[in-house]
Structures are given as structure tokens and as C-alpha cells.
Amino acid sequence: MRIGLFIPCFIDAFHPEVGVATLALLQGLGHEVVYPRDQTCCGQPMGNAGFDAACAAVERLFVRNFTGFDAIVCPSASCVNHVRNKFDAIADAPEVRAVRAATYELVEFLHDVAGPEALPRVRFAHRVGLHNSCSALRAIGHEPAPETHVPFFSKPRALLARVDGLEIVPYEREDECCGFGGTYAVTEEAISVAMGRDKVERQARAGVDYVVSADTSCLMHQQGCAERIGLRHRFLHIAQVLAGMAA
Amino acid sequence: MKRVRIDHAEARSRPIPGGDGREAQPRGPEIGKRGAVDHAEAGRRFLAAPEHAAFHDRRLWDIREKRDREMRGIDEWEALRTLASDIKAHVLDTLDTHLAAFERAATANGVQVHWARDAAEHNRIVGAILEAAGARSVVKSKSMLTEECGFRDAMDARGIAVIETDLGERIQQLDGEDPSHVVMPAVHKLRSDVAAVFARTLGTDPDNHDPAYLAEAQRQANRPLILEAQAGMTGANFLVAETGAVVVCTNEGNADLSARVPPVHIVSAGIEKIVPRTADLGVFVRLLSRSALGSPITQYTSHFRGPRPGGTMHVVLVDNGRTARLAEPGFREALKCIRCGACMNTCPVYRRSGGLSYGATYSGPIGLVLDPSLDRTRYATLPFASTLNGSCSAVCPVRIDLHGQIGRWRRVLAGEGRTSPGKRAAMKAAAALLARPAAYRRAVSAFGAALPHLPRFALYGPHNIWGRGRELPAPPRETFHAWYARTGGRLP
């Protein structure tokens, strides 16, 4: 498969190792992976603030960058949610529809397209708290929305079952939003930080060594909250664990 | 036979620690720049009262957990939600004929039906009924619609005393404060706050914070007022079009006292409260209390079909902006709301900021959707008081896409120029830069990898707001982009 690698702006700037791990996983599965060099951002920060209309040129650029791939894979559920479900500053042309339909979040691509058994067995012998972002739960479908009465499944847990020694540790209110919310983190800073602290304190009380998530944006917020109050557990993107690049 | 213990509104709630605070109760919001409610400021003040904030969050999260347990006990839960949503969609599509049918049936039952275009007309109609009946006081059960209409103030101006009979609503009335939740009006108060209000207004012992003592004192004070009142009022949870019945769900029985002790019963109801048939209640009643309080049913589900012997009964059908909303395709589905409050209980922002912080009749997610319709300027910032996490939409018993509607309001408000000029300029500048890859990369390298333009704006904001309560991410040696350019994507 010829895959277009979509690296969100904050991963590019703050956590390049997540991009490298994503590339390693996809290459390891035997795919041809291309990183279109003209990519910038999908426009989600402006979209969530109500300024979608200003983003027509951003969306056109995104479509130009990612047209022609068999699949577009991105290690961020919220960015994929934006492209898949909200990307409407430009007209709904066939090439726009094609790019939107071919865009996958990394966990769903690994689970639904590649299959968990295609992943290499790696070792990560730690107590891990799983953080499912709100987009991963309620828009991308990593697990059923926890408020709904549908049979349970879990794509990230199925993938993490490939990791030897990894123990998933439950903690209180796992499904509650951590308070990042994009620009919400600054528009309502006090409430955002209160949510983040509640989250990381519950993780710490459960005795996790690491928190693993498919969304780096939530992790940046949680890590910032944890460090400020002196908590010691660490934060990793799921790609780093699955690729054996968590060290 | 196996005895089954039924969960009701209060029983089997987990005892919540705290509730006996010494700190002052946080009050409602300031009006900020451009005349809008400053929810962020009020939320910060609520959090600065840790006993109140912790108790409020735990109390409502406990109710969300009870709701989840009730939901898991019903295999067809998701089908019920779909049915409820579809019935409401049908009602909204054919509201005119259902309302006419309701009026015919209610009139045939001996009920006088009135139509009110807006809040002022509602208050005029009810005031005229009360004056014609010679009523100096009216006892009423809880109604969000009368809050919407500013009803108590309007009656005050006519010299008619309005006495709330719902315990939480009465606490709020005695404290001169708006309700903070559609189902639990005083949920933001600790029992020590209630003791202070009752000591001041009912003469109770200020040091006795025992809930049973306080509830009994309120009951003893209110019962004579109910017996003396010449008129009673209720809201309506449902109006049944085929029978003309008004259905009211409560846990205290106060609606029944308000409706049936005085000779005059006035019902205030929004026009969207219609359900076509009695049989439809089999869907809605199963959803309502489970969603609201995590109990299978309210203690009382009362069907009022006509006046009590020798009395009169009036139903005032109120529009107050509902028809206008019906004509807005993007927002009409919010008219499906049955006011259960589940979206408020689950909302992590609501639980940590308290209902008063919204400065509106409706708070929490449904408030963010309803309030800007009522006053665009005052509520212009409320749709931004959300992380768009979507839990509200997932609990909604009538499947309103609440977080989708909140997002849609942001577009409307941004499009109307109601966001701050600084934000508007920054968003447009960011969008322009992100459309030009070469300029974007130059900006990234000019600021250094740790501070490229977009994350700098989105995460740091002016004056490093990010860093007040959080550490900043450590800057990496190079961006992913630079790594890829250097290595061509070849892994070591």
C-alpha cells in the first residue's frame, strides 16, 4: 500500500519521536510511506474556534498534499475527526471526498486494515494506564462511547495485547475528558487545568508507570499538569510502545 | 418471593464526603467585556472554593454513574433513545396539528387553553387569571419555563406572592438566587449553605446542618402557605395530544399539592412538550428519570386531565422563541430536549464550574445551545465553555447532537464577529500562514522548533496562559519535518 503520512503540527513541533514511531510501524508492515513535505496543519484549531470559513485554502492544500495515496494515516484521533467529519470550508468535490474517506487514524488503521496480528511482538514491562481521547472514543470509535449500551470492544487494547509484559491498569473516571480541548486549554485555563489535575492524580493513585494514548495533544496537557504538581508517571503515544521505541 | 429494592432519587446514592463547609458559597458570573457572561472567571471562582467544587463534582458524577447502572439494566436502551428522538422529530415536523389536537382534547376535558407568544404575554395571561380569581398568593412546582419568563418578578410587580414548593427551588427562592441545574436547583449548595439560608429566612438553628431537620423545617413552613393559597401552578413534562392530559413528574409530590389543593390550577408549558399518544409515555417515562437522576422512575408521575371538582384548570402554551428555533435547520433539534439534565451531570466543565457560572436560565451543554438564541450578546461566549468532548451527546436520551450544535454556534458567533478582535485576527493570520507551506516553515525556523507559529498561538496564547498551571513541553532537538528532510525517512 502507498501511504501518505499525515503528521499533525504539534507532533511535528513538540514530539517528532511520535512521527518517527508511526513511520517505523507502517514501514515495518511493508508499506511504502511518503511524508508530503508541503503539509502544515488540517485547520482543526481554527475550526474548533468557529473559524472554519477562514480555512478553505488550508483545506485545499491538505487535499493537494494527500491526493493519490491508497491511505492517509495520522497518529491523532482529533485531527482525523476534523478531516473526516468537519472538513467543509471547501466544496464537496470528488477529490475532497476521496482524501477524507482514505484518511485513517493510526490505531484504527493498524486494527481494521492491517490487523493486530500483523504487528511485531515487542516488550514493554510496565504498568500502563490507557487514555482514550474523547475524539478516539466518540468520533473515531476506538471503543464504544462509555455512556452508551453497546457491546464492548477495544481497538487499542487489542493492539496492546501484542506487547509482552505490559499490564493495563484501570483508574477512576478513565473516560472523563482531561480538559485539553484545543484552544479550550487557554480560553478557560483554570477549568482546563482542574480537569487535567484530576485526571493525572487518579492515574497516579492507581499506580501507573506510564499513560499511553493515541492522542499526543491530550498527553501534552496531562504531562504538563503532572509535572507541575510533581507526579512521576510518564506519557507515551501508543505508536512508541507498539514500535518498540518507548525507551 | 424475592424482594427488589427500588432505587429512587435519593436512596442508594453514595454518601459524598464534605458538605459541611465553612467557606462562602461562590455566586454567579460577572458581565465581561462586550456585555457577555464571563464564564471562565466564574468557573475560576467556583474552583477557588474547593469544598464546594469537590462536593459538586462528586455529587453529579455519582449521579452519572447511577445513570450508567440504570442504562445497563435496559437491553433496549439505545433503541429507546432512537424511538424518543424519532417521536420528537415527528412532533416537531407536525407540531401545528398536534397542538390543535391537544387544545381540542383539553378543552373537551374542561380545561381553558391559552396561547402566549412570549414571556411577557405568558406573565400577562397568568397574572390576569390570578387577579380574576382574587389570588394574593400562588404555590407552584418547579418549572424551567417560568424561570425563562422571569415569572416571579412579574408577579411581584402585581403584588402577588409566588411560593415555590420544590425544596431545591424554594432554597434558591429564599436565597434570591437562580436555580443552577434544571433538575436539582440547589445542587451547588452545601448543606451548611442551606442551613444559613433557612436560619436567615425560616428561623432555623444556624448550627444544625442536618438535612432531615432542614427539610422538615421547610415543610412545616410551606404547608400552611399551600393550604392558604388560592391558586397553584405546575409546569409540564409532557402534553399528550390525543387526550389533552398534562403529565408532571416529581419526586416530592409538590406538584400534586400545588395542582390540587387550591381551586385554580395553571399549567405553564412550552409548545414543544407535546407527545402524540399516551402510549409514547412508555418511551419517555422510562428514559426521563434514569437519565436525570439514575432512578428508574420519579416518585410521582401525575396525569392531570381536568380541573378538580368545583375548580378551574388552565394551560398556557408558550412559544417564547420556539417557533423561530423550529425554522432554523441547524438548531431545531434542541427542541427535542426533555430537560432531564443528564448532559449537565456528565459535563466535566459544568461539574467544575457550577450552574450559576453560566448566568443563564439554562446551564451546561443544553444551555450553551439554547441561551445564545435568547440573547446573542449576553451569551456570546458560552459556546466556548466546552471541550467538545461529546459526552453530553452520548448521554442525551433524545439523541440531540449537543456538542455538534455547540460547534455550530461557534461558527455562527465567529461569522457574526462576536468573538474578540484579537482572537479573530490571530485565527485569520494562522489560517493564512498555514495555507503557505514555505512561509509556514520559515516561521517555524524563525521561532525555533519549540515555538512555531501555530502551537505558539494555540497553546501559549498571550501572556503564557498555558504555563499558569502546567509545565511546557521540552523542545525537541529538531522537528519531524527537519528529521525527515535530513534522513529521507530512513530509520536508523
Side-chain angles (χ1 to χ4, degrees), chain B residues 464-481:
Chain B
N464 191 8
I465 297 170
W466 175 272
R468 275 183 208 155
R470 286 162 290 215
E471 294 302 311
L472 306 169
R477 217 173 48 240
E478 60 187 348
T479 62
F480 179 83
H481 191 89

Side-chain angles (χ1 to χ4, degrees), chain B residues 2-31:
Chain B
K2 194 177 149 208
R3 276 174 61 112
V4 179
R5 167 101 185 247
I6 303 291
D7 257 352
H8 60 76
E10 269 71 45
R12 302 255 300 259
S13 278
R14 206 156 45 85
I16 309 295
D20 215 15
R22 290 282 177 264
E23 69 189 14
Q25 185 215 308
R27 299 288 175 174
E30 311 284 333
I31 299 301

Side-chain angles (χ1 to χ4, degrees), chain B residues 97-281:
Chain B
T97 55
H98 286 304
L99 282 167
F102 174 83
E103 181 180 34
R104 277 194 306 276
T107 305
N109 295 339
V111 176
Q112 297 175 51
V113 178
H114 311 260
W115 300 82
R117 205 176 307 278
D118 54 24
E121 194 170 9
H122 165 267
N123 295 342
R124 264 201 310 280
I125 290 168
V126 177
I129 296 169
L130 292 172
E131 278 166 8
R136 306 296 308 150
S137 70
V138 56
V139 286
K140 68 178 278 292
S141 65
K142 203 165 72 57
S143 152
M144 292 311 296
L145 178 62
T146 56
E147 297 292 331
E148 231 183 88
C149 292
F151 175 71
R152 287 203 304 257
D153 287 345
M155 292 308 103
D156 202 38
R158 286 176 182 252
I160 297 170
V162 178
I163 296 137
E164 298 290 348
T165 57
D166 174 273
L167 174 58
E169 192 74 27
R170 182 63 172 165
I171 293 168
Q172 291 308 97
Q173 182 183 22
L174 292 174
D175 198 23
E177 191 174 65
D178 288 335
S180 74
H181 188 287
V182 297
V183 175
M184 296 164 274
V187 70
H188 61 290
K189 278 185 159 66
L190 302 179
R191 56 178 179 263
S192 47
D193 300 325
V194 177
V197 173
F198 282 6
R200 198 172 68 235
T201 54
L202 303 178
T204 55
D205 172 4
D207 296 321
N208 191 340
H209 303 171
D210 175 43
Y213 164 74
L214 294 168
E216 185 58 24
Q218 192 279 147
R219 182 199 302 260
Q220 293 302 334
N222 245 24
R223 288 294 156 112
L225 303 177
I226 295 171
L227 293 173
E228 285 160 16
Q230 300 90 343
M233 285 180 75
T234 64
N237 291 93
F238 308 100
L239 303 172
V240 184
E242 69 174 359
T243 64
V246 174
V247 181
V248 183
C249 305
T250 73
N251 284 308
E252 298 173 32
N254 60 307
D256 306 84
L257 291 174
S258 303
R260 281 309 183 252
V261 173
V264 180
H265 176 196
I266 305 166
V267 178
S268 293
I271 54 173
E272 84 285 13
K273 291 289 174 189
I274 290 278
V275 296
R277 305 165 306 171
T278 304
D280 300 323
L281 295 172

Side-chain angles (χ1 to χ4, degrees), chain B residues 269-431:
Chain B
I271 54 173
E272 84 285 13
K273 291 289 174 189
I274 290 278
V275 296
R277 305 165 306 171
T278 304
D280 300 323
L281 295 172
V283 173
F284 289 100
V285 171
R286 292 183 79 195
L287 287 166
L288 178 63
S289 192
R290 289 187 169 91
S291 299
L293 293 166
S295 63
I297 194 164
T298 44
Q299 300 290 316
Y300 301 87
T301 301
S302 303
H303 299 236
F304 298 108
R305 293 183 57 155
R308 75 169 212 197
T312 59
M313 180 169 164
H314 302 261
V315 175
V316 187
L317 296 168
V318 184
D319 186 321
N320 204 34
R322 286 159 175 77
T323 305
R325 179 177 292 274
L326 199 57
E328 286 184 77
F331 295 107
R332 78 190 305 235
E333 73 161 337
L335 288 168
K336 294 178 178 177
C337 176
I338 58 172
R339 306 286 192 265
C340 70
C343 61
M344 307 161 83
N345 302 344
T346 201
C347 177
V349 173
Y350 176 86
R351 273 188 275 105
R352 286 174 183 79
S353 57
L356 297 179
S357 67
Y358 298 77
T361 299
Y362 299 104
S363 52
I366 187 64
L368 306 191
V369 173
L370 296 179
D371 296 329
S373 301
L374 299 171
D375 188 334
R376 273 285 216 289
T377 303
R378 183 176 165 88
Y379 303 123
T381 57
L382 287 191
F384 298 90
S386 165
T387 62
L388 303 181
N389 61 75
S391 186
C392 46
S393 306
V395 295
C396 179
V398 291
R399 292 190 185 276
I400 300 170
D401 177 20
L402 286 158
H403 71 303
Q405 301 234 326
I406 294 166
R408 190 170 291 127
W409 265 122
R410 293 183 182 185
R411 291 186 184 198
V412 169
L413 294 164
E416 290 178 355
R418 290 179 189 273
T419 52
S420 80
K423 185 181 194 176
R424 190 157 58 240
M427 285 292 168
K428 289 193 169 165

Side-chain angles (χ1 to χ4, degrees), chain A residues 35-58:
Chain A
Y35 169 76
R37 301 280 287 274
D38 276 355
Q39 63 183 286
T40 57
C41 163
C42 61
Q44 187 195 173
M46 286 73 76
N48 281 357
F51 289 87
D52 313 62
C55 286
V58 177

